[in-house]
Amino acid sequence: MQVVATFAAAREAAGDGVSGLVPTMGFLHEGHLSLIARAAAECEVVLVSVFVNPLQFGPDEDLDRYPRDLDRDVELARRAGADVVFAPSVEQMYPDGHATRVSVDALAGTLCGRSRPGHFEGVATVVAKLFGGLQPDRAYFGRKDAQQLAIITRLATDLSFPLAVVGMPIVRERDGLAMSSRNVYLSDQERHDALALSRGLMRVADAVAAGERSGTVLERLAADEMCEAPLVDPEYAELTDVANVINITRLDRPAFLAVAARVGSTRLIDNVHLDLVGDRFVPDRGVRIADAGVVRGGG
Ligand code: AMP
């Protein structure tokens, strides 16, 4: 395993084999590790980038307190099957004079784009740089960030990056909470109330499996659960078309039901993708970690 800080060193360390890239902001958990493990199963060489990207944080967001622990990340990435960890400094990623921004405006104005202006431009810019600088054959992203995944899928197509974008199921704690580096901010009571997000989404999944197709009904199932939790301040619950990231009133195409809420001072997001398989809608409830997860119990 090599830890490198420049694009040139990362390309040299990766060599010529079929390569998979897992972009992250570090403080790895089982969600990240599931992407690394899949990349290791499908590729000859796996690159993991660890970079807290200032461009995607708003002025009042948590850039300064975002959790960081590179040594731990390197060890976890190695155990999950990574060959190269690319951990550049901000100055290496954005040297003086860096002027280019990438935006996918058509998909970035809804959901999180409304409350986080500039966020997806920051994401698209850094991902385009990773794609261009590392030239992976495959790139792995979590369905946890559904709008981000849609934007990156479109970016790769529109900018003709010759790679496959792979979306992976949400990894959840045993009680259903979607894993997130930001979960460390939650107090015990907030952690308890935060379960309302996934509980509502599992109700949505049940309703879809039972034949419900009304956007209003599905959105209310998710919203009602959040409204009942005292420490949860809901931001949105929206049935959303996967391809265009627009709100839809009926489930009649591949979609996801996305929620966002503030729990105390922490902003959380979660979703359930509703995949069209043949003529049936199949909810992707994600996967729950086993008792001995790689991070906590895995030795
Ligand atoms: P982040 O470090 O939060 O920027 O996330 C890096 C990658 O890991 C993104 O593609 C995320 O969608 C993915 N990811 C984060 N949390 C999860 C999760 N709970 N399950 C699956 N993928 C995740």
Side-chain angles (χ1 to χ4, degrees):
M1 247 268 307
Q2 293 190 57
V3 183
V4 296
T6 65
F7 281 116
R11 280 195 305 273
E12 191 179 323
D16 293 331
V18 173
S19 63
L21 169 66
V22 180
T24 81
M25 296 205 300
F27 214 67
L28 302 185
H29 53 63
E30 281 90 342
H32 302 112
L33 302 181
S34 73
L35 308 183
I36 298 171
R38 169 66 77 92
E42 294 182 349
C43 305
E44 290 166 87
V45 54
V46 176
L47 297 113
V48 176
S49 62
V50 175
F51 181 64
V52 181
N53 176 31
L55 231 51
Q56 69 190 67
F57 286 77
D60 299 326
E61 294 185 355
D62 57 344
L63 174 62
D64 291 338
R65 68 170 184 143
Y66 196 84
R68 294 162 165 90
D69 190 341
L70 184 60
D71 290 343
R72 175 177 171 277
D73 289 341
V74 166
E75 178 57 18
L76 289 171
R78 186 189 63 73
R79 277 197 251 158
D83 301 293
V84 181
V85 169
F86 173 52
S89 66
V90 173
E91 293 71 27
Q92 280 163 325
M93 189 62 98
Y94 302 116
D96 281 349
H98 189 284
T100 301
R101 296 285 184 274
V102 178
S103 58
V104 189
D105 285 347
L107 308 190
T110 54
L111 302 179
C112 293
R114 281 197 299 259
S115 61
R116 304 188 72 188
H119 168 67
F120 287 116
E121 186 176 283
V123 170
T125 300
V126 79
V127 169
K129 287 175 67 73
L130 292 169
F131 286 179
L134 301 174
Q135 300 176 4
D137 297 292
R138 303 172 69 78
Y140 296 81
F141 296 88
R143 282 186 148 190
K144 162 87 179 355
D145 300 275
Q147 186 170 19
Q148 170 176 289
L149 176 58
I151 286 170
I152 289 164
T153 303
R154 182 66 68 85
L155 174 157
T157 302
D158 289 354
L159 296 184
S160 310
F161 285 109
L163 53 80
V165 173
V166 182
M168 294 285 295
I170 296 174
V171 177
R172 301 180 177 283
E173 303 270 7
R174 290 169 64 199
D175 59 9
L177 183 70
M179 300 200 75
S180 165
S181 305
R182 291 191 166 97
N183 290 350
V184 296
Y185 299 150
L186 300 171
S187 69
D188 288 350
Q189 194 55 43
E190 288 168 349
R191 169 76 180 66
H192 172 268
D193 278 23
L195 282 177
L197 277 70
S198 54
R199 201 161 51 234
L201 292 170
M202 294 308 125
R203 291 188 65 196
V204 169
D206 291 343
V208 168
E212 183 60 62
R213 297 290 177 264
S214 158
T216 314
V217 170
L218 295 172
E219 288 170 359
R220 189 163 302 147
L221 284 172
D224 283 353
E225 282 290 340
M226 293 195 287
C227 289
E228 276 169 31
L231 300 182
V232 174
D233 180 13
E235 188 181 309
Y236 62 71
E238 289 192 31
L239 183 64
T240 307
D241 163 40
V242 163
N244 300 301
V245 198
I246 48 166
N247 190 224
I248 52 176
T249 55
R250 269 197 83 68
L251 179 57
D252 56 6
R253 67 201 95 165
F256 56 89
L257 193 314
V259 298
R262 272 192 188 281
V263 185
S265 62
T266 307
R267 187 174 179 281
L268 299 179
I269 59 170
D270 198 351
N271 70 81
V272 59
H273 274 74
L274 304 163
D275 298 319
L276 189 54
V277 180
D279 59 358
R280 284 192 322 128
F281 283 99
V282 178
D284 177 359
R285 298 166 193 264
V287 294
R288 303 209 180 192
I289 58 166
D291 286 348
V294 187
V295 173
R296 258 151 299 169

